[in-house]
Amino acid sequence: MVAVLSAVALPQATVQRKPVRKPIPWVPIVLVTITLLYLALFLFVPLAAVFAEAFKKGAGFYWDAIREPDAWSAIQLTLIAAAIAVPLNLVFGIAAAWAIAKFDFRFKSLLITLIDLPFSVSPVISGLIYVLIFGLQGWLGPWLSEHDIKIIFAVPGIVLATIFVTFPFVARELIPLMQAQGREEEEAAAVLGASGWQTLWYVTLPNVKWGLLYGVILCNARAMGEFGAVSVVSGHIRGATNTLPLHVEILYNEYAFAAAFACASLLAFLALITLAIKSLVEAGQHKEHQK
Amino acid sequence: MSFKKLIVGFIALGITIGLPPAFAADVTLLNVSYDPTRELYQDFNKAFAKQYEAKTKDKVTIRQSHGGSGKQARSVIDGLEADVVTLALAYDIDEIAARAKLLSPDWQKKLPNNASPYTSIIVFLVRKGNPKALKDWDDLIKPGVKVITPNPKTSGGARWNYLAAWGYADKKFGGDQSKSKNFVKTLYKNVPVLDSGARGSTTTFVERNQGDVLLAWENEAILALRELGPDKFEIVAPSLSILAEPPVAIVDKVVDKKGTRKVAQAYLEFLYTDEGQEIAAKHYYRPRNEAIAKKYEKQFPKVALINIGQAFGGWAKATKTHFVDGASFDQIYEPGAK
C-alpha cells in the first residue's frame, strides 16, 4: 500500500521540481529562417520584381514612361489629392482627438465609432456613397448639373474619396496617446491663465508631436496609394482624372508592361520614402524618450 | 527644424501643390469608350485633331476613358460628362437614353450604318499549332476544353460571344430552343473564369496562360497576336459568327451644355471618312467603306455572319431573353462548374 502511494506521489513531485528547460538551440534559428523566408517570398521578391520589370527596357524608357503627359498628370493628381486630404485630416484628427481625449460629452463613443467607419467599410462602398450623393441620378446630382458644378468624375470627387478613406489615420493615432497623457498639464495651463489656443499650441501638441507625424505619414501613404474608392468616382479620363494607381492599371491593360511597372515602381518608391521618414520619426521619438 | 515650422511648411507645401494646374482654353472633347478601342482612338484622335485644326484653326483635345462597355454606360448615366460615347453595343447607349435621357431614343438613325462606323466579328484565339484542334463551335463543347470569355452581365464583347454561340446552335438545331440552350450550357461549363471585361479576358488567356481558346473580338485577337507573340497564338475563324456593330453617338445634353456639338459631330463624322476608315482598318476593325475594306481584305477572313437584328430581333429583345436577371444566361451558368 505504501509502495503504491509513493508510486502515485512520485510523478507529482518530479513535476514540481522540474528544472528550468534549456533553450533548444535550433528553435530561434528555425523561427528566424521562417520569418525571413516569408518576408522574402511575399515582400522582397515582388518589390524587386517591380523594379526589375520597370527597368527592363532601360533607364531611358523608364524616364519616358514617367514623363509621358498622361503619367505626369496622374502623378500631379495623386499629389494634389494627397496634399488636400492630408492637411484636412490633420486638422480634423487633432480636433477630434483633443475633444475625445480631453473632454467629456454625450455620444462620445458614437463619435469614436464614426471615426472608425472608413476603416470598416470597403473602399468600393466609400466610392459608391459619393456616386449616390453627387451622381447625376443621385440626391444632389440634378442641382449640381444645373449649376454646372462637377464633383464626381472630376478632381473634387477624387479628393473627397481620398479624404474619406484616410479620415481615421491621424485621429486614431492621437486618441490613445492623448488619453494616456491625461489632462493634468492642460488643467495646469488653464489655471495659469493660458487660453485654449495657447494650451493646444504650447502644451498638447508638443506632447503628441511624434504620434501626430506618424499619423500624417500613414495618412499620406494611404492617400497616394488608394485605388478602390478613387476608381469608382474617377471616370478614368486619361490626363484628367486618373491617379497614379489607376494609371498603372490602364497601362497594364494596354500591354505596356514596362511603363506600367515604371509607374508602379514610382508608387513603391513613394512608399519607401514614407517608410524611411517613418523610421526617422521613430528614431527621433526614441531619442526624445531617452532625454 | 522645429516641429511647428514643420507643420507650417507642410501646409504651405500642400497649398502650393494643391493649386490646380492652368489648362489652356481650347476645345476639349471627352470620348467614353469600351475596352479594346484604346489603341484605335489614340491614333484616330491625333488624326482628327490635325484635320480639324487645319480646317477650322480650332485646337481640339480629345480625352479618353475606357472600361467595360456596360460599366462605362453606367458612369455616363451617373454624370460622367461624355461628349461622345463609342461603346460595344447599341443596348448600352439605349440605356443612357432611357435612364438618364441624355440623348434621344432614335440616336441610332443619326449617323450612317446604324451609327456603327466599323464592325467586327467574334473569332477564336488559340495557342500556336492549335493543340486541341479547335476549328468550330462544336469543338468548344468537348470535355476538357477550357474556354475563356468575359462575363456577359458586365461586358459587351461577352454578349456578342454568347450570342454568336447561340446563333450557331440555332442554325445547327434548326431553331430548336431547348437544344440550343443545352449547347450553350455545355459550352459555358467549359469556362473556368469569367472576367468583367474583354481586355481582362485577353490578359487571362495571353498573360496568365489560362484556357485553350479565347472568344474575342477579331480586332482584339489580332492585336493580341501582333503585340504579344505571333509565335504563340493563332486565330481560328469559326464557320459561323456574328456581325458586331459597335455604335457611336453624340450625347446631346452634354454637348449642348458645353457648346461642343459642332466639334463632336465633326469627330464622329470623321470616323466615316476615308482617313477614319483606314485608321479603323489598321487597328483591325472591319471598315464600312467598301474600297477600304477591299484594300485590307487579307487581314479579315471571310466568315458567314448572322446579325443581331435578324437572328435575335434586336438588342432590346436579345437582352430580355438572354441577359437580364433570371434570363437564359442565369439559367445555364453555374459558377464553378467543371
Side-chain angles (χ1 to χ4, degrees):
Chain A
M1 196 64 200
V2 172
V4 172
L5 261 180
S6 69
V8 173
L10 204 65
Q12 266 181 346
T14 19
V15 169
Q16 276 165 4
R17 267 186 239 143
K18 197 167 137 195
V20 177
R21 240 192 223 166
K22 269 191 195 158
I24 308 168
W26 51 266
V27 167
I29 299 174
V30 168
L31 286 179
V32 169
T33 318
I34 289 174
T35 315
L36 284 182
L37 269 180
Y38 190 83
L39 276 178
L41 204 61
F42 292 103
L43 272 173
F44 300 140
V45 171
L47 199 61
V50 166
F51 282 97
E53 284 283 333
F55 283 102
K56 213 174 175 181
K57 293 195 183 168
F61 185 88
Y62 185 87
W63 287 117
D64 286 347
I66 287 171
R67 285 212 317 260
E68 194 259 333
D70 285 355
W72 185 236
S73 122
I75 294 169
Q76 267 183 317
L77 183 59
T78 303
L79 292 177
I80 288 172
I84 298 175
V86 174
L88 279 179
N89 280 337
L90 171 78
V91 172
F92 165 81
I94 295 174
W98 206 39
I100 287 167
K102 312 284 179 183
F103 300 95
D104 287 314
F105 52 91
R106 285 172 85 192
F107 308 119
K108 193 158 140 180
S109 57
L110 183 72
L111 181 64
I112 298 177
T113 316
L114 276 179
I115 290 173
D116 274 343
L117 191 70
F119 272 168
S120 50
V121 297
S122 153
V124 177
I125 298 177
S126 323
L128 280 177
I129 293 169
Y130 289 109
V131 175
L132 281 180
I133 298 175
F134 300 112
L136 195 56
Q137 316 301 316
W139 296 346
L140 301 177
W143 185 87
L144 288 172
S145 160
E146 246 169 61
H147 294 77
D148 208 13
I149 304 168
K150 272 196 250 177
I151 306 276
I152 57 165
F153 307 124
V155 177
I158 290 166
V159 172
L160 276 177
T162 310
I163 291 175
F164 186 87
V165 291
T166 57
F167 197 60
F169 284 94
V170 175
R172 262 287 146 204
E173 198 62 41
L174 289 186
I175 292 168
L177 197 60
M178 284 190 178
Q179 277 174 335
Q181 282 169 350
R183 302 174 191 174
E184 288 86 357
E185 290 186 29
E186 276 82 4
E187 280 162 1
V191 168
L192 292 172
S195 70
W197 284 113
Q198 282 173 323
T199 313
L200 179 71
W201 198 245
Y202 293 108
V203 179
T204 312
L205 280 186
N207 273 337
V208 296
K209 59 185 173 186
W210 296 113
L212 182 65
L213 209 52
Y214 191 63
V216 166
I217 288 164
L218 286 181
C219 180
N220 186 51
R222 178 68 189 270
M224 293 206 241
E226 177 55 26
F227 181 87
V230 169
S231 170
V232 176
V233 296
S234 140
H236 305 275
I237 308 167
R238 282 133 201 258
T241 65
N242 265 329
T243 62
L244 204 47
L246 300 181
H247 190 65
V248 172
E249 193 207 19
I250 284 183
L251 289 173
Y252 185 80
N253 280 341
E254 275 171 13
Y255 310 121
F257 300 118
F261 281 106
C263 288
S265 76
L266 203 63
L267 270 177
F269 193 61
L270 288 174
L272 288 178
I273 293 178
T274 312
L275 277 182
I277 298 175
K278 197 195 102 186
S279 4
L280 279 181
V281 167
E282 275 170 350
Q285 206 171 2
H286 197 63
K287 245 190 207 162
E288 195 104 328
H289 278 300
Q290 281 177 337
K291 264 186 212 165
Chain B
M1 198 196 290
S2 83
F3 183 70
K4 278 170 220 160
K5 272 189 195 154
L6 200 68
I7 289 192
V8 173
F10 193 85
I11 293 171
L13 183 77
I15 292 169
T16 331
I17 304 179
L19 289 176
F23 290 114
D26 304 327
V27 196
T28 304
L29 280 190
L30 174 59
N31 176 2
V32 171
S33 193
Y34 62 112
D35 251 337
T37 56
R38 300 155 193 261
E39 293 80 7
L40 163 67
Y41 280 109
Q42 255 169 30
D43 267 10
F44 179 79
N45 292 348
K46 271 186 218 143
F48 173 73
K50 210 171 133 200
Q51 181 258 7
Y52 196 75
E53 200 185 343
K55 223 163 97 184
T56 61
K57 303 268 184 298
D58 285 343
K59 267 206 165 153
V60 51
T61 314
I62 295 127
R63 297 214 181 278
Q64 284 296 133
S65 169
H66 297 274
S69 189
K71 194 183 107 203
Q72 292 292 82
R74 181 74 239 183
S75 289
V76 174
I77 291 169
D78 281 330
L80 180 58
E81 291 198 325
D83 299 271
V84 297
V85 282
T86 53
L87 295 177
L89 41 99
Y91 181 76
D92 287 328
I93 303 183
D94 283 339
E95 283 286 285
I96 300 173
R99 285 178 193 264
K101 313 244 175 323
L102 294 175
L103 65 169
S104 73
D106 65 341
W107 60 271
Q108 212 165 5
K109 299 203 177 73
K110 292 186 177 167
L111 286 163
N113 305 105
N114 288 331
S116 307
Y118 42 76
T119 63
S120 194
I121 66 169
I122 300 300
V123 296
F124 304 166
L125 189 68
V126 297
R127 309 220 175 262
K128 189 74 190 174
N130 200 354
K132 296 227 167 160
L134 307 169
K135 298 250 167 57
D136 208 346
W137 295 100
D138 287 317
D139 300 320
L140 304 191
I141 63 166
K142 287 181 182 157
V145 173
K146 286 211 175 80
V147 183
I148 304 292
T149 173
N151 188 347
K153 292 274 183 183
T154 51
S155 156
R159 293 189 176 192
W160 290 110
N161 294 347
Y162 186 92
L163 293 179
W166 193 285
Y168 173 83
D170 207 38
K171 273 255 157 72
K172 183 180 162 139
F173 301 116
D176 185 329
Q177 288 293 306
S178 72
K179 277 188 183 160
S180 299
K181 194 168 167 182
N182 226 356
F183 181 90
V184 178
K185 183 175 179 172
T186 325
L187 199 163
Y188 273 80
K189 270 193 182 154
N190 283 344
V191 177
V193 49
L194 287 176
D195 286 287
S196 69
R199 193 47 72 83
S201 278
T202 311
T203 317
T204 299
F205 183 74
V206 169
E207 282 291 304
R208 291 169 47 212
N209 265 321
Q210 299 281 312
D212 304 307
V213 53
L214 172 76
L215 303 185
W217 299 96
E218 183 180 46
N219 54 282
E220 182 80 351
I222 304 180
L223 179 72
L225 200 69
R226 300 266 159 107
E227 289 267 324
L228 298 160
D231 49 335
K232 284 192 241 156
F233 308 101
E234 53 189 76
I235 290 172
V236 173
S239 68
L240 184 82
S241 188
I242 192 162
L243 177 73
E245 300 182 305
V248 302
I250 288 179
V251 184
D252 292 323
K253 274 209 179 154
V254 174
V255 293
D256 288 343
K257 190 171 135 194
K258 287 169 65 178
T260 47
R261 180 177 284 280
K262 207 180 99 211
V263 50
Q265 185 76 30
Y267 181 72
L268 292 188
E269 277 168 5
F270 190 60
L271 281 168
Y272 290 89
T273 61
D274 287 359
E275 197 182 346
Q277 293 278 295
E278 284 258 15
I279 296 172
K282 271 185 198 142
H283 288 275
Y284 323 117
Y285 289 83
R286 298 186 171 213
R288 290 285 197 181
N289 181 309
E290 273 169 29
I292 291 163
K294 186 114 188 125
K295 190 170 154 196
Y296 286 87
E297 71 183 349
K298 259 197 220 141
Q299 68 184 30
F300 302 118
K302 283 206 172 66
V303 180
L305 296 172
I306 52 171
N307 78 47
I308 181 92
Q310 285 163 9
F312 296 96
W315 268 112
K317 197 167 165 225
T319 306
K320 218 173 144 201
T321 340
H322 295 291
F323 304 119
V324 297
D325 284 339
S328 83
F329 176 71
D330 283 342
Q331 292 161 24
I332 61 117
Y333 185 67
E334 304 158 34
K338 280 191 188 135

